[in-house]
Amino acid sequence: MTALTLSTSGAATLRADALVVGVAKGAGSKSGALVVAPGAEAVDKAFDGKLATVLVTLGASGAEGEVTKLPAPSGLKAPVVIAVGLGPAPAKGDAYDAEALRRAAGSAARALKGSKKAGFALPTESAEDAGAIAEGALLGAYAFTAYQGGENKLAPKGAKSDAKLPLAEIALLGAKPRDKAFKAAAERAVAVTEEINRARDLINTPPNDLYPESFAAVATAVGKEHGVKVQVLDEKALVKGGFGGLLGVGQGSTHGPRLVKLSYTHPKAEKTLALVGKGITYDSGGISLKPAGHNETMKCDMSGAAAVFAAVVSASRLGLRVNVTGWLALAENMPSGNATRPGDVLRMYSGKTVEVLNTDAEGRLVLADALTRASEEKPDAIVDVATLTGAMVLALGNRTFGVMANDDAFRTSIHEIAQEVGEASWPMPLPADLRKGMDSPTADIANMGERMGGGLVAGLFLQEFVGEGIAWAHLDIAGPAFHEGAPYGYTPKGGTGSAVRTLVRLAERTADGDLG
């Protein structure tokens, strides 16, 4: 686990493997178009004021995420300087954008894999800047190595991993370690990023090791450690309670479904926020089997549940004055002689009947049961998170999640919060005319509707199971939850922990009386 310190050392005197400085694109500079960002003054001085010129000679442009390594001059204790691009320099008098700092720190941390210690001398004018840099560096330093070499329980005894370990220690320079606001920002960054990285671990864990029962066991252990009450409903309890959606999806697997309730309460809380996460630990599509080439990453179909889990634990670690309840709807969707068939009708926990036209539209079935159960406790708001539809990926791409809601103001609030914390999102409608496509001649509703606008149809289905008078939002994170390309910024290959930061900031706003 990467450590974070607020260092009292200056950039010139810090003993570390490397120093990280920021550079940006800025017209009119002597070096052509490269500007050395604030925080790097001592490093620039060690280069006789020619750091930008040297970097331009090496081909640096200041583009976002660009990393340039160069040997340090004799005036610095660290042997290497890493210049990371921040993108366009802000206008005079303006500060660097928090997301630019976050991504730059993440790029630098990834480049420092295998190093013991690095000093980050990026622009730190405020506690918010320090928090963003800390978040980016800690997220960028992430690596999933549990199944490589000597760390693999199944590997030959004595085998060693070739994987480099993450950067061991991050020292933030210029962050005022004695200032309460800076200390709080750093502590928040550590708590939230540790839980995001825990969510990433869960998403990346192969499905032969992560299934509903084992996920529930992890939730129970972590909840006990961090003061979160955990209740697990197993198959017997689900049958007794009439959770037909969870049971219908999970009945084709040898690993039975679970509904996990996480409860964080604060004695002075005035509001309650319920979070519901889709937790399909592996999605084969069931009898409506996915085509070849679409199965390999389906361990990530529990990313919504991982995000909810991380958010609830983060709220507890931060001691927020809000009650946060998490509902993890866990099942494995498999084809077998016991599996639900297209044409079957399920009686949901709400009492409504659903005709299953496609068993690969299973996420909405487990979420429906959890939404109904969450609604019974009459929270002030419910937010569900799910890798729900390929249609949302077609609409918004791989880096942006869709936001739907039964209240326009709440949807706008969620979208603004996501922008604030650096998570790309976009508000989406719930057109009433699409509801008719889910009419069933056999049941109260079908789990499929019109093909066009499929992401919106899924949202309309979920809305049917939200309690009356409760503000509700649905985040479809199918695009950004799992990254298959090359890492960038603080985003690794594999599980990303998408939506955790949005949920945590929503909990913070709710604690402050600003639910939206």
Side-chain angles (χ1 to χ4, degrees), residues 131-334:
I133 295 166
E135 276 187 9
L138 289 166
L139 292 174
Y142 172 80
F144 184 68
T145 60
Y147 289 79
Q148 295 176 338
E151 295 185 49
N152 185 347
K153 293 180 290 185
L154 303 179
K157 191 173 182 180
K160 294 183 179 180
S161 172
D162 292 330
K164 288 184 179 180
L165 294 176
L167 171 63
E169 183 182 348
I170 295 161
L172 291 190
L173 306 181
K176 301 179 183 178
R178 295 182 181 85
D179 186 291
K180 288 183 178 180
F182 279 83
K183 286 177 67 176
E187 289 169 359
R188 180 192 183 279
V190 169
V192 175
T193 57
E194 283 183 356
E195 296 313 317
I196 291 173
N197 287 338
R198 193 197 305 277
R200 290 171 166 182
D201 282 348
L202 287 167
I203 297 164
N204 290 328
T205 298
N208 57 319
D209 280 345
L210 190 77
Y211 41 89
E213 184 180 3
S214 62
F215 194 153
V218 171
T220 300
V222 175
K224 185 175 182 180
E225 179 185 355
H226 291 293
V228 175
K229 184 179 178 182
V230 181
Q231 178 187 5
V232 180
L233 298 185
D234 61 12
E235 286 171 279
K236 186 179 292 187
L238 293 173
V239 170
K240 185 178 180 179
F243 290 87
L246 273 159
L247 291 164
V249 173
Q251 70 188 44
S253 173
T254 56
H255 297 297
R258 299 287 187 273
L259 179 61
V260 179
K261 179 185 178 182
L262 309 166
S263 303
Y264 161 68
T265 57
H266 191 286
K268 296 183 180 179
E270 297 180 356
K271 297 284 186 179
T272 297
L273 182 64
L275 308 176
V276 177
K278 174 186 173 184
I280 303 299
T281 55
Y282 182 75
D283 182 18
S284 70
I287 296 297
S288 306
L289 194 68
K290 292 179 183 294
H294 291 74
N295 294 287
E296 291 79 3
T297 61
M298 282 299 101
K299 64 182 181 180
C300 80
D301 213 18
M302 36 60 67
S303 295
V308 166
F309 176 39
V312 176
V313 176
S314 294
S316 180
R317 292 182 63 171
L318 297 173
L320 302 183
R321 284 183 56 169
V322 58
N323 297 328
V324 185
T325 304
W327 301 88
L328 313 183
L330 308 178
E332 186 176 70
N333 188 25
M334 296 290 285

Side-chain angles (χ1 to χ4, degrees), residues 35-52:
V35 174
V36 177
E41 292 82 1
V43 177
D44 190 30
K45 183 178 179 181
F47 279 91
D48 295 326
K50 298 179 181 179
L51 176 58

